[in-house]
Amino acid sequence: MKIAVAYKWAPNPQDAAVGADGSVDWSRAKPAVSEYDPVAVEVGRRLADATGAELVGLSVGGPDVASPMAKKAALSRGLDSAVVVADDALAGAGTTPTGRALAALVQRLGDVDLVLTGDSSVDAGAQMVPAVLAGALGWPALTDVVAVSGTAGDLTVERAHAGGSQVLHVTGPVVLAVAADAVVPRVPGMKDILSAGKKPTEEVPLADLAGWQTAPVEVVATAGPELKVRKGQVIDGADPAAAVTALVAALRADGVL
Amino acid sequence: MSSTYILVAGDARISALVAAAPGATTAVVVGTRAVADAVATSGVGSVVWLGEPGDAPLEAFAGPVADLVAAAAPDVVLASTRPADRVLAGAVAARLGAPVHTMASKVEVHDGAAEVTRAVFGGIARQTLRTAGPVVVVVDGGTLGEGGSAPVEEVAAAPAPTVRVVETRAAERTQVDLGRAQRIVAVGRGLKAQEDVAVVEGLAAVLGAETACSRPLAEGVGWFTKDRYVGVTGQHVQPDLYVALGISGQLQHTVGARAAGTVVAVNTDASCPYFAEADYCVVGDLYAIAGALTDALR
Ligand SMILES: Cc1cc2nc3c(=O)[nH]c(=O)nc-3n(C[C@H](O)[C@H](O)[C@H](O)COP(=O)(O)OP(=O)(O)OC[C@H]3O[C@@H](n4cnc5c(N)ncnc54)[C@H](O)[C@@H]3O)c2cc1C
Ligand SMILES: Nc1ncnc2c1ncn2[C@@H]1O[C@H](COP(=O)(O)O)[C@@H](O)[C@H]1O
């Protein structure tokens, strides 16, 4: 039996350079395992250890997803193996092709009844891939999951819900998006990184996946971010009383107070 | 004429979706009859209600919702960013093979092609994207809408039988609607201890403001409830005044408060990124500044 974890290899847009026309230069932004995905890997590791399942990482994207650095970074978090699709056609792919490609990968893998994902990816941040993935598989999806126990086919899932929480019983295959604070993921040590290099990885050709494409999306215009012009007035706070006097006066002059 | 389907899971606050919807609108409602009735008076053209959910989570209706929307073949599908709504939207996108757009500011249909203007990559740029075919757009739902009394048609659907709610524990703290707050005092990791939340609350009280936070203060440490964090995956707010105390100003946070009228950032680090997006950049200790400001306004 296998538990799959979807992880993304992506850069932080904070590090990208954006032109006034909205063009995005990623050359200085280094990709990494997307910030919250190690939480899903950790949840999966604990569940796999408790049930004797194999924990398989799944990732789709551009060619760099198959780089030794990317695979090691993912495998050192506690995965048993990784299966990736690394193809130019999937570089920067949208939510729907990404979710559909992951679904096709899950089907190809077989013997999987539980797919875990992170809460949101660092670059897209859509919180939508798990939902599309589940939809493509015809499985239910639950998000904001804080705890999972049991075995696939008889899972108890706790999730954050409307400020409180909810416990659910799941008796079939399911996609669970793990809350960013579900567990604290392990920090990979030297041993984890070294053993990661020996773990099995498989690269699946994109041509092996069916039905991932979607209607083409044409970019008809780009623009820089929608930013208001800000005053950027610096107030020295070394003397808090004086700083506050200046701040209050400025806010009053602006009609804000 | 173009048509829009609005997906609703258990929460009738969809004013922003109704406002953004091009053409004739149909709402597909999963949840109780009361939710369907509330949606019917929010300005939509018609309502399809999938029946009482019983002990099925609303996500268990994603398959039937996808079937229904696929049969109707609308130009645009809108849903709010609330968790169960996202699951419905994802299932619809998977079924239609339609792109999903988040952070959208404009949705139009021209000659059967959908055109969506949206922020991309967490808000570093904007793009207008055209698709010859349906699109799924997921944005803040807004508030309770008002208008009309659309007919509610019941189309009882069978939820996925493999997921059931066993227990629901109500919220311990009251929920807030930051989207409507006129003033907000937000705090980040510059806050050192949970008991110091009182410092933030004290300032908020004299300003008549709501309190908010960055994501790390709502998750893990849980000093604030999750509905109080602002940002790309949190609340999108538009107060007249946004005071950011000890928040570094990572893109994922600031993007949620960019619509604020005036931004005051207080940070010990004169080179923190927030200062590039603030009107007043107070270089100093949040405790000292918040304390002095509270005293000055009391
Ligand atoms: C996919 C994804 C989605 C995310 N979504 C969100 C989101 O919606 N909202 C969000 O907030 N974050 C989000 N994040 C996290 C985000 O990237 C940042 O990590 C987070 O916003 C940082 O929070 P912070 O500014 O409070 O903490 P830090 O970045 O640690 O900053 C703390 C700041 O406090 C200052 N400071 C320290 N002591 C004092 C003092 N005594 N007085 C004054 N200043 C002081 C420091 O100089 C520093 O600038 C997301 C991340 C990812 C990957
Ligand atoms: N290209 C990808 N490959 C594998 N998993 C992904 C990919 N994109 C998104 N995911 C998963 O889906 C989650 C949510 O992503 P998003 O919808 O982009 O915010 C991430 O935390 C990952 O677990």
Side-chain angles (χ1 to χ4, degrees), chain A residues 47-195:
Chain A
L47 202 59
D49 287 344
T51 58
E54 182 191 345
L55 190 66
V56 185
L58 305 179
S59 194
V60 304
D64 54 346
V65 171
S67 68
M69 193 169 88
K71 287 195 227 162
K72 256 192 196 173
L75 288 162
S76 65
R77 309 276 175 172
L79 299 168
D80 293 316
S81 61
V83 181
V84 304
V85 182
D87 194 290
D88 276 324
L90 284 172
T95 294
T96 307
T98 299
R100 279 181 154 190
L102 285 167
L105 205 51
V106 168
Q107 270 158 346
R108 188 181 179 281
L109 195 61
D111 194 25
V112 180
D113 280 322
L114 171 61
V115 179
L116 301 169
T117 77
D119 169 86
S120 44
S121 66
V122 66
D123 56 345
Q127 301 186 291
M128 284 299 301
V129 166
V132 174
L133 162 61
L137 290 167
W139 299 3
L142 298 169
T143 63
D144 303 283
V145 169
V146 293
V148 195
S149 59
T151 49
D154 179 19
L155 287 172
T156 299
V157 176
E158 186 184 341
R159 63 150 165 193
H161 176 72
S165 67
Q166 206 169 54
V167 179
L168 301 107
H169 188 223
V170 183
T171 51
V174 68
V175 175
L176 301 178
V178 171
D181 59 349
V183 295
V184 177
R186 71 194 60 188
V187 179
M190 209 46 185
K191 214 176 108 228
D192 302 307
I193 295 167
L194 288 175
S195 67

Side-chain angles (χ1 to χ4, degrees), chain A residues 12-14 16 18 22-24 26 36 95-96 100 119-120 122-128 131-132 135-136 140-144 146 158-174 179-181 213-238 240-241 243-244 247-248 250-252 254 256-257, chain B residues 57-60 81 83 86-87 89-91 93-102 105 115 121-132 138 160-172 175 183 207 215 218-220 226 232-233 240-241 249-252 257-264 273 275-284 288-289 292-293 296-297:
Chain A
N12 190 335
Q14 177 94 27
V18 183
S23 57
V24 180
W26 293 99
Y36 298 137
T95 294
T96 307
R100 279 181 154 190
D119 169 86
S120 44
V122 66
D123 56 345
Q127 301 186 291
M128 284 299 301
V132 174
L142 298 169
T143 63
D144 303 283
V146 293
E158 186 184 341
R159 63 150 165 193
H161 176 72
S165 67
Q166 206 169 54
V167 179
L168 301 107
H169 188 223
V170 183
T171 51
V174 68
D181 59 349
Q213 290 98 333
T214 57
V217 177
E218 182 197 350
V219 181
V220 293
T222 64
E226 199 164 16
L227 287 178
K228 287 190 180 168
V229 177
R230 300 286 178 192
K231 292 195 173 75
Q233 188 175 319
V234 177
I235 299 176
D236 182 358
V244 160
L247 177 63
V248 170
L251 292 174
R252 289 222 162 103
D254 293 348
V256 180
L257 284 183
Chain B
L58 301 182
E59 290 89 340
T81 50
R86 279 190 268 119
V87 170
R95 179 72 53 91
L96 298 177
V100 175
H101 296 303
T102 56
S105 55
E115 231 175 75
F121 309 124
I124 56 172
R126 275 177 294 170
Q127 292 180 345
T128 300
L129 301 156
R130 186 174 19 224
T131 313
V138 180
T162 53
V163 203
R164 286 297 173 267
V165 177
V166 180
E167 190 188 338
T168 300
R169 301 179 198 126
E172 279 170 20
Q175 303 274 101
R183 292 177 179 177
L207 277 169
R215 190 167 177 170
E219 282 178 344
K226 286 192 185 181
V232 64
T233 49
D240 299 329
L241 175 63
Q250 298 295 308
L251 171 73
Q252 288 91 0
R258 278 186 179 158
T262 297
V263 175
V264 177
F275 285 173
E277 285 193 44
D279 294 288
Y280 299 103
C281 315
V282 184
V283 186
I289 301 297
L293 190 53
L297 297 172

